[in-house]
Each structure stands twice: as C-alpha cells, then as structure tokens.
Amino acid sequence: MLWIILILFLLLLPLGVPVGLILLMLSVAYVIMEPALMDVVLAQRIVQGTQSFPLLAVPLFILVGELMNISGISRRVMDFAAVLTRRVWGGLAQTNVLLSTLLAGMSGSANGDAAMQAKIIVPEMTKRGYPLPYSTALTAVSSLIAPMIPPGIGLILFGFVTNTSIGQLFAAAIVPGFLLALMMLVQANITTRLNKWDPPRGAQPGDPSLGRAFLGALPAIMLPILIILGIRGGVFTPAEAAGIAVIYTIVCVIAYREASWAEMWRALRSTVSTTAAILLILAASTAFSWVLTFEQVPQTIAGGLLSFTDNPTLMLALIALVILVAGAFIEGTALILILGPIFLPVTNALGIDPVHYGVVFVLMAHLGGVTPPVGTIMFTTCTITKTPLIDFTKAAFPMILTYLAFALVLIFVPVFSTGLAHL
C-alpha cells in the first residue's frame, strides 16, 4: 500500500499541488484503504500537530519580520552595511550579504528576506554595473543566512518535531550563520575583483558617518542578542521571546514613525497568510508521519542507512545528500517536518548530537529554495527582478558550490555548531 502512496505523491508534486495538501490527501487516502486505522484518529493527529505552546513563536517571529520591513529599520541597516563595505571591492554586493546577516535576527525567514532585498538592493546593484543575474542570484543565496541566525523559523520547527531544545538550536546556529556569511563575503569580494565590478570608493556627499549608521542599525543588531541571552539565561521561553520581540519591534515602528496604518494592516494580513500556510503543512505532516510510523518507515530507513555505514560523520554526510536531492522537489519547511523525525532514530543510534544534526539539517533543507525545479526563493527573486531562470542558475552555481563546501566543513567539524550550544 505504501507504494500506492508514493506513486500518488510523485504524480501530484509535478502538478503544482501545495505540499501541505498533498500530504493531507495521501493521509486520507491511506486511512480509507487501510481498515485497521480509524478515521477519527487521523482527525486527532491533524489537530494535535498544531497544539504546542512553542509553536506560538512562529507567527510572532513572522510578525516581527513584517513589522521590520515597514518600520524603516531595513533602510538603516542597509546604510550601516554600505558604510562598512564602501572601501572594498564589490561594496554593494557585500552590502547585500551583510544586510541578509544583520536583518536575519529580525526576520528569520529566507523568503521574506529575499523578496525585500530583491526590491531594494538589486536595482541599486544594476545601476552600479552588476549583471542582473548575478545580483539576483546573490540576493537569493545570501537570504539562506536568515534561517541560520536566531530566531530562524526552521530551527523552531525542527526543535518542535524532534523534541530538541530550541534554545540550544538557536545558540548552535550562531557560529555557522556568521561563518556562512563570511564565506559569501569572501566569494563576493573575489568575484567582483576579478570582473572589475564596483571598485572601492571613498565617502560620498550625504553618506552617514560610521557612528551614526551604527546607531541606526543598533535595534536590529540588539534583537537576536536579547533573544539568545534571555533564552539561555532562563529569563523566558522561545515563545515568550517571540512576544518580547514583537513588542520591541512595535516600539521601533512607533519611534521611527515611518509606517502607515495601511502598511500595518498589510503586515498583519501577510503574517496570517504565512502562518496559515506553515500550520497547514505542520498539521498535514503530523498526520503523514503517523501513517509512515504505522508502516514502520523510520525503522526501515534506519536499517537501510545503517547498512551503508556506522560512521557518524559519514552518516551525517549521507543524510545531507538525501536532503539535498529531496530539497530540489520539496519546500524546506515541509522537508524539516517530514524527514527531520524520520532520520532521528539513525542519528540517535550512532550518537550524533541532535543539535549538530539539527543545524546541518536546517542548513541543507533551505538550499532547495534556490535550486530548480521548484525553488521558491529562486522564483520569488526572479519574478521580482525579471531574471530568466537559466541565467539565474548559471550565476548561482558558484555560490551553491560555496554553500555545499561550507556544509561539508560543518559536518566534519561539529564544534562549530555544538560549541556554544553546550556552554
């Protein structure tokens, strides 16, 4: 019967049916075909998938990102990043990467980060002489930094479905997030230097001073620090941290007085629609995971993977490869909710730190967002900037190789992710 479910999945996915609806339909179909299962249990599982206190953090952090976009903080952070990079090759390209890094602590979402920067910074890069495919690809790939820096939504969801400490995951992702940003900065510098794009320039009339630019960006810089110290210090839980982050951002919105009531309303509507999409996937994946557990799929996969190798590092690399392939067809959030718990028995059996596993998983799960054929971030940025997908793919390829190289470093050097988590 499991083969029928697999065939239905492969038939529905290319048709563009949302992953949440596919999982829901497959779960219902399985219960109909399997007389040993009661339909009321399926309904209970669907509801149970959204009944968790830590999940309150998801809509609240999404709201933080939406409010940040209308508050004026984004522009101030961009000014600060531009001041830091104006004296180096590829200053605006590096501003793009720095902006993703500094705003990650307030958005936590790769899609939101990419959409905002595609509208703001890509037109400026085009004026400076950057090829449009390169600007679009850099914006898309650099947005993958956002899920790796607290409060990344992917980290929250992974912690929920695998029962891993969200606070430890937040702490574990800090160093990998900044190392990923550093590698992208180095690559942007080398690429722009070789192609003679955007040479170094001095201060221009009207440019803010470093001190003034830093003060403007300080609210965005302080928020992730506040969240991490509060959670690790036991002052508040991740869900409470999200509530405090919303209040913090609202204070910024009021202080800057740049957002209109219409923009506030749009931010709330966007938060509701994004949260609804995530909860649909979460409810459906919980039901589908129950079906897979009934069929003993996790145990079967665990046995199959353990027959390949019992080396923890090689096993983590093998899991990362599976996630890379699956991520080309399934959106990152769904991937975390479906495969995260399935591979957990394997990693536990080999003694792999669940925090290390979680950071590697989230890192690899979001890469599919910038790869064909169903990369959501790729489609978002290409639609906004009107870049052909073929040109985007060619420009993004070297950046994806850098990303994969970093993933290998993270797999083979676990201290980068476990060091802060276990302090």
Side-chain angles (χ1 to χ4, degrees), residues 90-163:
L92 203 51
Q94 300 199 51
T95 297
N96 194 325
V97 178
L98 275 179
L99 189 60
S100 294
T101 307
L102 295 174
L103 292 180
M106 298 195 74
S107 66
S109 166
N111 279 294
D113 181 74
M116 179 192 65
Q117 290 189 212
K119 298 173 185 175
I120 296 176
I121 202 168
V122 171
E124 294 298 320
M125 292 181 70
T126 303
K127 292 177 184 177
R128 291 272 187 97
Y130 290 90
L132 182 60
Y134 175 81
S135 303
T136 305
L138 182 65
T139 300
V141 178
S142 67
S143 72
L144 299 179
I145 298 171
M148 293 302 298
I149 294 180
I153 302 300
L155 296 170
I156 297 172
L157 294 175
F158 181 89
F160 168 67
V161 296
T162 62
N163 200 28

Side-chain angles (χ1 to χ4, degrees), residues 108 146-147 179 183 245 300 423:
L179 284 178
M183 289 186 69
T300 303
L423 281 180

Side-chain angles (χ1 to χ4, degrees), residues 57 87 117 131 172 234 259 294 332 352 373 405 421:
R87 298 184 185 276
Q117 290 189 212
F294 183 81
I352 298 173

Side-chain angles (χ1 to χ4, degrees), residues 145-234:
I145 298 171
M148 293 302 298
I149 294 180
I153 302 300
L155 296 170
I156 297 172
L157 294 175
F158 181 89
F160 168 67
V161 296
T162 62
N163 200 28
T164 304
S165 167
I166 295 174
Q168 285 189 329
L169 285 170
F170 278 179
I174 294 175
V175 172
F178 283 109
L179 284 178
L180 178 60
L182 180 61
M183 289 186 69
M184 289 187 180
L185 286 171
V186 171
Q187 184 180 41
N189 182 272
I190 294 172
T191 302
T192 54
R193 189 185 292 268
L194 291 174
N195 291 280
K196 307 298 181 184
W197 297 333
D198 197 5
R201 64 188 185 94
Q204 303 294 314
D207 283 356
S209 64
L210 179 60
R212 183 179 175 185
F214 174 74
L215 289 177
L218 192 58
I221 298 171
M222 287 301 299
L223 181 59
I225 297 174
L226 175 68
I227 291 171
I228 288 297
L229 292 181
I231 293 175
R232 298 294 290 167

